[in-house]
Amino acid sequence: EGHLHCVQRSEGGLHCPSASALLAEIADIGCDRRRGGYSRHVFDGAERELRGWFADHAARLGLDTETDRNGNVWAWWGTPGPGAVVTGSHLDSVPGGGAFDGPLGVASALTAVGALRARGGTPARPLAVVVFAEEEGGRFGVPCLGSRLLTGAIDAEAARNLRDPEGVTFAEAARAAGLDPARIGPDPEALGRIGTFVELHVEQGRGLIDLGSPVAVGSTVIAHGRWRFTFTGQGNHAGATPLSDRRDPMLPAAATVAAVRRLAAGVPDARATVGRLVPSPGGTNVIASTVDLWLDARVPGGGTQALVDDITAAARAAAADEGCALTVRQESCSDTVAFDDRLRAELGGLLGGVPELATGAGHDAAILAPHVPSAMLYVRNPTGVSHAPEEHAEPADVERGAAALTDVLEHLCR
Ligand code: HGY
Ligand code: MN
Ligand code: MN
Ligand code: MN
């Protein structure tokens, strides 16, 4: 389409990698041999390797890279300053996640900067590529942790004390990654520099397949939240304990999983999921003493809390039937977000009238949207599957997305 198709040129020439080539470079980092897919969590080995990969390409593109107080990485073209055009996404994954959720946005941003440099000239505004930390919440349980900290959408002390499954706090992990835990928290200076934020992301669903378009502009992100249900009974011996003597927390947990689907099915377009359920101590011949269950609930139009209240009532009834205790704690929440109208129309027009797409998936752009004009671009995923190894984007669509982002950045940097 007349866009500059970048090839891998370096050795003193222009560094202009294609997004597909960039993704191929990291294809082996954080492979989850047991589950398939990728497991890349904030500050773990794979994610640190990806940070190094990003910094290397940023340097070859002539960008100056810095890691902020919360572990987000910023690569600047020009002096960091107000009115900056910022693009980027994340490099962490869900457990067993796909290759594109996050990295596609980062790779496309690097490709777009390379293409802009190849077109010559210097942006009239500071331009940055950002990699947000812990977007999936795969280690510390809160999604978009890095962008929530940046914007003050999470209490700094609560964030410092978040624990991963091994009991390591975010503060300890941040210190081990070279950050000062005391500085974790809102970053008004970094936030204040952002004039416009644009995130490119692989589509997580089938919209673009049905629309027959390789690229779309994001319209809304539905509200979503996470709740932790802890059922407590009495641990005991699987063989020596008659059924009548049991207080087995696995029973109310199982009833709650069934109630989630039954109750959500009665709410239009609701999505409610139990993807993580952890009995403790977890022995085959041991009646569990506790069971932790995490609920991810998302209801378009504001009905999320009502659905969670119904699920909680069902869980309490099931716990009482089995003589178990129950605590329920909300671990994260996000309101429905509509991206900036003017920006949506501007980008849609710039890209030749590509369709708009609402999504049930959360993104850092949705955390930034209440603070700065934000937009999203989606790239077609022919499987429609995400958060699983089947997640995919065809190379031709990957390059179409990167070319669209290049045009958007060139337009915004004028
Ligand atoms: O969970 C989400 O919606 C996103 O993929 N983090
Ligand atoms: Mn995701
Ligand atoms: Mn994502
Ligand atoms: Mn024994």
Side-chain angles (χ1 to χ4, degrees):
E1 295 85 11
H3 291 296
L4 186 81
H5 282 289
C6 288
V7 292
Q8 187 85 14
R9 288 205 303 265
S10 52
E11 289 84 50
L14 278 174
H15 183 52
C16 192
S18 75
S20 302
L22 289 168
L23 290 170
E25 284 181 2
I26 59 174
D28 292 334
I29 299 175
C31 281
D32 190 327
R33 306 279 176 220
R34 184 165 61 88
R35 285 181 277 219
Y38 292 90
S39 284
R40 301 159 164 170
H41 304 308
V42 69
F43 302 141
D44 76 1
E47 198 250 15
R48 285 206 310 273
E49 200 178 337
L50 290 170
R51 286 170 182 258
W53 163 83
F54 174 73
D56 170 55
H57 279 287
R60 289 160 71 184
L61 287 166
L63 307 181
D64 297 323
T65 303
E66 59 179 1
T67 301
D68 71 16
R69 63 180 68 182
N70 297 308
N72 305 308
V73 185
W74 303 76
W76 286 94
W77 182 356
T79 307
V85 173
V86 180
T87 184
S89 191
H90 60 95
L91 292 172
D92 66 300
S93 73
V94 295
F100 298 86
D101 176 354
L104 180 64
V106 175
S108 302
L110 291 170
T111 294
V113 168
L116 289 176
R117 283 189 172 279
R119 289 181 187 175
T122 305
R125 300 171 176 280
L127 172 62
V129 178
V130 64
V131 176
F132 284 111
E134 184 72 342
E135 190 275 347
E136 297 292 3
R139 180 174 178 187
F140 292 100
V142 173
C144 300
L145 182 57
S147 53
R148 286 176 198 264
L149 282 165
L150 170 71
T151 58
I154 184 171
D155 172 74
E157 192 57 21
R160 273 190 281 269
N161 295 322
L162 291 170
R163 289 187 184 276
D164 72 6
E166 278 66 55
V168 177
T169 65
F170 180 63
E172 290 159 348
R175 185 193 310 281
L179 300 178
D180 173 1
R183 299 190 65 237
I184 289 170
D187 195 340
E189 187 189 348
L191 181 61
R193 289 185 192 134
I194 307 174
T196 311
F197 178 68
V198 181
E199 177 171 5
L200 181 145
H201 204 283
V202 67
E203 187 192 358
Q204 296 167 298
R206 301 185 38 87
L208 283 173
I209 301 167
D210 300 334
L211 289 168
S213 170
V215 172
V217 172
S219 57
T220 59
V221 171
I222 66 173
H224 60 278
R226 297 184 184 186
W227 286 262
R228 179 175 182 167
F229 289 63
T230 301
F231 299 90
T232 303
Q234 177 55 59
N236 213 327
H237 194 296
T241 314
L243 296 186
S244 56
D245 287 355
R246 295 184 181 206
R247 292 190 296 113
D248 182 350
M250 198 62 105
L251 272 292
T256 301
V257 172
V260 165
R261 173 57 72 88
R262 173 170 47 78
L263 293 168
V267 178
D269 205 17
R271 297 93 191 271
T273 311
V274 175
R276 185 178 170 211
L277 185 147
V278 180
S280 177
T284 302
N285 58 350
V286 178
I287 300 169
S289 51
T290 63
V291 176
D292 281 300
L293 170 158
W294 282 264
L295 169 67
D296 176 312
R298 315 184 190 204
V299 178
T304 303
Q305 191 57 53
L307 172 59
V308 173
D309 291 345
D310 291 347
I311 291 168
T312 302
R316 290 207 189 287
D321 285 352
E322 183 68 18
C324 291
L326 168 62
T327 60
V328 181
R329 194 157 59 92
Q330 180 160 16
E331 292 193 334
S332 76
C333 69
S334 303
D335 293 329
T336 297
V337 162
F339 290 115
D340 185 276
D341 281 332
R342 180 191 56 76
L343 200 50
R344 280 160 56 177
E346 198 177 324
L347 300 193
L350 180 76
L351 298 176
V354 295
E356 286 202 348
L357 205 61
T359 177
H363 299 288
D364 292 306
I367 300 295
L368 288 184
H371 304 274
V372 296
S374 300
M376 286 199 73
L377 297 181
Y378 292 110
V379 173
R380 179 166 46 196
N381 168 351
T383 69
V385 173
S386 183
H387 284 187
E390 294 79 7
E391 181 183 275
H392 186 65
E394 292 296 327
D397 284 350
V398 166
E399 297 317 322
R400 287 188 183 104
L405 183 61
T406 305
D407 291 345
V408 163
L409 296 180
E410 186 173 57
H411 170 77
L412 293 174
C413 282
R414 283 199 181 105

